[in-house]
Structure formats: structure tokens, C-alpha cells
């Protein structure tokens, strides 16, 4: 419906913010995948890669933070509906430029879970920066975006520029 | 001290994560400024700028989300210390490419507030995407980074590549 | 059933508080509407109405607080069930005596949402007072009450004294 | 200062909401007392007073909810500063018209605690209604207001119409 | 399935923590009962039993804390799914050795509620210790364990050593 | 003072729960150490010890949960004061009988941090059980207790039966 894709559905006719009514939407299986990156100085990447430092733990803390962050989405994003989550997976991969993050969230509910996936990536990125900021105070979270979502009335959407 | 700037201070000798002891640090006035951007499709920027839609409210929701997000930092970032915040200011500016976000946080405590400033920017960005995602499902949060911090033993730090 | 309307259902036979078992209740569409008012000094009403001050934002902050407050109901009200919310709408209207607040909440679950609607009104009122208290330290939240609820076994209930 | 008492200090010059900077304010002992009432049907008052029902527990749950609510104030009121609380006391008294609630909060910090006191009263009232709503679905929270505050630059303020 | 009962299902093939996907599990009625004890010095037991002190209230605070704790389980246990709870009952009984705690939780969802029942017991125990620690700084929480769970694919499980 | 050590300080003269006023207490450096154990079946211990499974991660998740749990103490324990924490360290050690947990918390404030240390141990134990419950549904949290506390008017207290 054009009003769903061409207007700010969180805002009613008078311009006031509201949590939109999803009562009429079907309960359906829904997934969303989001990705992002934390750009780090070479020194910081070396520390994460080094056998001398427990890199697994730094990534591990960020992974847990991302999963817990997905659960906090309705507390953080004012107009998000509180929904059940059926599964959350957060992956962090060290690359030359820093750390790549991806999050995949599943549910069966009346609203999509792209905000939960984006929140998982953003919070994992924040936690990673917190772990590494003594080494690299200039770390940058970048390219946090939805890659794909499935389910609901609109079905599958995938990012046009995604390979 | 080199161990402060050259190692993962959140991780102890055995590699286990911990909330580092800041008892010996001085209480001092501290500030941090962070910035970031949400990249949007031209259609979404037009909607935000349009007089037909309540753009003020979309930015207003994101601003509130950012301020509240700063307060939730210790809930989100596992090893962050819970601290008092003396002031938080979040600004959002519509530009051709989307929306620019900046957050400035102040405290007088034993730890810096750069994580609070980064969290404010990230959460404001998430909330903005939530408001505009029906118009632009491809919105991207990018370039979330600390611009400057002051206070504490290390004094003022500002991003080398900042203008 | 008389035991539902004539006793304290949150308290078991021995007098101990419990979260009552709703397993046997049907999942049904439910709504609740609550209202309340914040009484303000004429000076404060004038400030809110004035074009010189950003009244929209003061009401906007309160509106967001009310919506987020509805989501926090199970955290605040000890024996409330955590449930999904399908929609929340909070409206604030400036009148001569102050600001009128109404909240409408929808769900499809096993329990009613009148506590969520009441919480939305109360928290919106608290946030509004916080915004205006420098102008009017004597602001009063009053007449917070359920106007109507629908759904569930008992069906529609509306306040007897409501027009 | 006139700008403290004659404008919306939570809103900056451009009209954007912010958490005001209190860095320059002195740390001083501060208290606030707030009161409110829950109006109940005579049947509900009788149930609370009756020896047959555990009225102590109903009031006890509300009292705990009020104390915990005071601690959640910065989570609920968007622009409230997160501060330490040194003491919170919530009292509920059954009267013919329902239940009277008062809350007294103490701290030593840079901001007042009137929002914490008001939140304690409001949340205690919400919890009480939740306990009694099966008996009286028409309960009303009313007259929630600050009675007195002390400390800070402005010193003691007490409600003009308070006995 | 053997992989469900013989491996760490919260950890994927690569060893990374995740919130396991329960999409394929059936929604079914589920219950869990957990118990635990707080061991106290005779002096503390006497205070709780004494008519001079409000023992009901000390137990009452712990009971409320347990019920609210059950609702916070997904905030506390990193990989727990956020789910609806249909009922929570927490009981505390004074015995010669201290206080016995039991919690029973019900839901109809895709995952069991044993973590919610364990959390209710543990948090009730923490709250009880907080109430009594001035009398007995040596209080001990012990024997926190699941007694029985029902529902789901595996059906009823009861502790082998339970009577 | 005898009233501090011989009565329920969280309960006032009338028997009502309150958050006790600590305004008159000195700000001083305070620490607390608590310990506990999770008893596990030999099969579960073997899985944790095995090189085939990522035991580090299971312990790592529990460690993070414990640290974050310490920060949530005032949300969980109704009458606990919200205070700053200067450091939190949680250690888990695999032994033949299961996993031993210890937590050490530091602050400089007006109240002790034994509840934070106990909460860290209890929540770490809950998280560990959640990780291992598919292997061992009968895991038990036991012997959660304060070992030592320092600071404040009463100075150092250590458990009499501690080595």
C-alpha cells in the first residue's frame, strides 16, 4: 500500500509520533540480516589478531553485547514494538581494516525485525570499541545497514547494491 | 602509562573480561563529543525536509532516543562503568545525503564519557532509521566516531583527521 | 465470575502476592483507553502556547515518554504480565487549565492493557512536569483513570461517569 | 536566575530537547516530598480494610513499586539526570476515599529529586490500582504533586496551598 | 535429538555464542518449578519469626523481588529468549535453618521457563539477604535448582533425587 | 550502633519497607568479595573441559553476565541504593564438582557493595546453567555468600569459617 511505503508510518495525520497499530498484520515468520564494520588502526587489528592477547574474548564480549542489544531494541528505539525473538546470531570477523559484524534475527510476529538486527550490529560495534579504545581511540563504526529481510506482507527485500 | 594505551585494559592478565578498577583515578570534569551520519535516499531526505510531513518530530524522536541511549550505556556496553552524567546534547541536521548527528556528553567522574557519546549517536541513528524505514529501507548509519574528549589523566584528545 | 470481580486476584489464598495464572484465558483483541490531566499555572500554559518557545517539543517529549512508558509497564508494576503491544497512541492537548493526556493501547493477548494505558498517561505527565517545572514547580498530575476497555471475557467496560 | 525560572530549561535556544548541563551546580543535600491519592469505590476500601483480605500486602506491593519506581526515574523521564539516591520512603494510608500516598527522597547531588518523588508516588499508585482493579475498575490516581523541596541554589520551596 | 541433549546448544559449530533458533519448536504449555534456600543464623531466624519485627514484610519484599526477577530473566541471562509469562508464584517459608524458597512459572511458548524459575528463586534470595544482612552478614543462598519442568518436546522432567 | 546490627534496617518503626537514608554515612572506599559454586554432572564438567567444545565461551558468557548483573543490582534488589561501581571482577574456575565462581566489587560511596558481589555470583551462575542445561538439566547453584567486605564504619568483615 502506498501509504506504507511513501510516508512516515510512525507519525499520524496530525504529526504526532505513535507506535503504529499492527493488529491487522499477520503473524508470519520473519528474518532480518544486518551488517556493519568497525574500522581500526593497524595496531589495534594486530592486537586483536595477536596470540599474546585474548582476541577471542574481545570479540566474545562484543558478540554477547550484540545479542543482548537485540533484546533491548524496544527499550532503545522509542516506537519499536516489543516482540518475541526466536533466534539471534551475531558474527564478528577480523579483517585488515578492522572487524566486520553481521547479525541475523528471526521471529514469528506481526512486525519485522530489521531494527533488532541493526541494533545488534550497532551495540556489538559499541562494545568492541569499548574493548579496544585504549589501543585505538579513533575507532569508527560504519556501514550499519540492513542486507535482507524476509516475511510479512512485503516479502523478501534485499539491498540493491548487495552482491 | 604505556599499559593504558598499548593493551586491552578491559582484559586481565589471564585474558578474562573485567570492569577495570578506576578507584585510583581522579574525579575530574570530562567531556566527549561524537558524530555520525545516517545516509538516506533523496526521497527520504525530501520527506524529512518537506513541509507536508512533520520532520521536526522525526528528528525530535531521534534526539530523545539519543539522550536516553546515553543513559543506558552501562546496560548496553558490558564493561562500561555506571556513572553520573551532567549533561547530554544531541543535534541532528538534515543534509543532502541524509542526517548528520552529533552528541556531546559531560560528567565529573573517574572515567571518560566517550562511550556515552558514541552510544547517543548510534541510538539516535537507529531511532531515525526506524522513523524513516518505510520510505527508505536502505538507510545506513555510518562514520560513528569520537571527535574530541577532554579531562582525565590524558587530557584533551581530538581526532587527527578532524578539520 | 464473582471471584474475579470481588477479590484481590493478585493475592492467593494465603495472602501472598503472585502474578496470576492467565494460561486458561483466551487470546483476544483487547484495547484500553486512559486519560489524565496536568494542571499548570497560567504562566506555564502561556509558555507552552507561546510561539516563542518550542511547545511542540515539550509535548513531543512527553508523548514519547508515554509511549516508552507503556512498554515499561511490566518493569514498573510488580505483578503485571509481560505482553506484546500492537499499538500505542498518546495525545496531549493544551487547555486553559494545563494539558490533557489520553493514551490508547491495543494488543491481542491473554490479559487486558489498562495498566499499560494508565502507565502511558502517568509517565507522559511526569515527563511534561519535568519539562515545565522550572516555570511552574507546582504542577499537578490528576484524574488518571481508565475510560474504556474492550476484549477478553468481560467484554467492553466504560467508565460510568464518562459522557 | 530568571532564565532558570522563566523558561523551559530542558530546551536549548534552537528549541531542541537536551539534558541540561548541571556541571556548575553545587553538590548539596537535597530532599523532595511528593504526595498523591488513589480514589477508590467504598467496596474497594472495605476490601483493603477488611481482615479477610491481606491488605497489608496490597499496600506493601505498592510501596515496593514506588521505591523501585524512584530508582527508574531516569529511565522513564527522558531528560532527567541519572543520580544517586540516598534514601526513599513511601507511605500509603487507607482513608475513606481510597489511599493516600506520600514519598520522600533524599540525595546529595547536583540536581533536585522532585521528579524521583513524583515518580515514586505515581508508580505506587499504578501498582495499587493493579492490585485492586478486579474489585474497582474505576480507580483514579489524582493530586500527584510536589509538597516541598529543599537544597540547591533555590533552597526550600513549599507548595503555597499546603496547609 | 542427541545434539540437543549432548552438546552446548547455545554455542554454534564455530564456538560462538548465539541465541538458538526456536522457530521450529511448537508453542506448547510449559511449566517449571525451582527451589532454593537461604541459610541464616538462629538470631536472624528469630528476628524473622518474632512478633516484634515485621517478618511478613521482609518475606513480602523478597517475594515481589522474585516475581519481578522472573520477568527480568532475558535481561540477565544473555542467551535467554524474551518470552511471555502466564503466571509466576514465589513462596517463602521460614524454617529453623533459614528460609526455603520455591518458584513456579507458567507459559505457552516455544522455550521452557526453567531459567525464569531459577532466576525468581535466586533474586528472591538476594532480596531476602539484603533485608536481613544487618542481622546476619553471613547469610548463604544454597541449593538453587530446577525440581520439575513440563511441556515441550521432551515433556516432563523431574529431578531424580526429588522425593 | 546496635540498631544497625540488631534490627532490620530496611524496615522502619511501623514495619514498612524503605530504602534507608545513608546521607550521614561517609563516602569511603569499599570492597566486597562473594563466592559460589555451580554443581554439575561429570558429563557436563567433561564437556566444559573438553577441547572439542568451546568451554572458554561458556565461561566467558557467564563472566560477562556476572559483571552486567552487578550493575543491575539496584533494579533487582528492591531496597538497594543505586551507586557507582569502580571495578568488578568475576572469575570462574572448572573443578571436578562443577564451576567455582568468585566476584570482587569496588566502589567509593556511602553503602557497601556486598549485594553487588552476591548478585554478580548469582547471575553468573544462572548464565552458566543456561549454557549447560541441555547437557545437565540438574545443575545446582550453591553456597553463594559474602567472603569479605572492607570499608565503611564497620571496617573489615570476613566470614568466620573462611580459611
Amino acid at each position: 500500500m502506498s501509504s506504507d511505503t511513501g510516508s512516515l508510518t510512525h507519525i499520524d495525520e496530525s504529526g504526532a509520533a505513535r507506535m503504529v497499530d499492527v493488529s491487522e498484520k499477520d503473524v508470519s515468520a520473519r528474518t532480518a540480516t544486518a551488517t556493519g564494520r568497525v574500522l581500526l588502526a593497524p595496531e589495534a587489528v594486530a592486537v586483536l589478531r595477536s596470540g599474546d592477547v585474548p582476541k577471542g574474548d574481545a570479540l566474545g564480549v562484543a558478540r554477547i553485547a550484540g545479542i543482548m542489544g537485540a533484546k533491548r531494541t524496544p527499550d532503545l528505539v522509542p516506537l519499536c514494538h516489543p516482540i518475541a525473538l526466536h533466534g539471534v546470531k551475531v558474527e564478528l570477523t577480523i579483517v585488515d581494516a578492522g572487524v566486520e559484524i553481521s547479525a541475523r534475527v528471526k521471529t514469528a510476529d506481526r512486525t519485522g525485525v530489521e531494527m533488532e538486527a541493526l541494533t545488534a550490529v550497532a551495540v556489538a560495534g559499541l562494545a568492541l570499541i569499548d574493548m579496544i579504545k585504549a589501543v585505538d581511540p579513533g575507532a569508527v563504526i560504519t556501514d550499519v545497514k540492513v542486507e535482507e529481510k524476509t516475511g510479512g506482507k512485503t516479502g523478501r527485500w534485499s539491498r540493491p547494491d548487495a552482491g
Side-chain angles (χ1 to χ4, degrees), chain A:
Chain A
M1 193 168 76
S2 69
S3 74
D4 271 338
T5 53
S7 68
L8 296 178
T9 54
H10 280 164
I11 299 180
D12 67 14
E13 314 77 49
S14 65
R18 59 177 170 144
M19 187 197 289
V20 292
D21 183 2
V22 297
S23 299
E24 301 305 314
K25 292 193 178 183
D26 288 332
V27 171
S28 74
R30 295 162 189 266
T31 68
T33 304
T35 57
R37 288 185 296 150
V38 176
L39 304 180
L40 295 171
E43 181 187 356
V45 174
V47 167
L48 288 176
R49 281 185 166 147
S50 160
D52 294 340
V53 294
K55 68 179 177 181
D57 210 75
L59 299 194
V61 170
R63 191 184 297 115
I64 296 301
I67 293 171
M68 296 183 84
K71 293 193 271 187
R72 306 306 293 272
T73 305
D75 279 351
L76 296 174
V77 179
L79 305 181
C80 254
H81 295 79
I83 62 169
L85 300 182
H86 288 180
V88 180
K89 190 169 187 175
V90 174
E91 292 177 308
L92 296 103
T93 309
I94 302 174
V95 296
D96 286 356
V99 174
E100 294 182 349
I101 307 171
S102 78
R104 183 168 174 81
V105 179
K106 296 183 72 170
T107 193
D109 212 313
R110 285 175 176 79
T111 70
V113 285
E114 61 266 46
M115 290 316 303
E116 282 75 8
L118 288 168
T119 302
V121 171
V123 174
L126 290 168
L128 185 74
I129 287 183
D130 182 51
M131 301 296 286
I132 201 78
K133 70 181 194 288
V135 178
D136 182 2
V140 178
I141 300 175
T142 202
D143 291 330
V144 179
K145 61 193 178 194
V146 179
E147 294 293 349
E148 185 189 64
K149 50 176 291 195
T150 68
K153 189 176 56 180
T154 52
R156 184 172 182 278
W157 177 89
S158 65
R159 176 166 292 275
D161 58 4

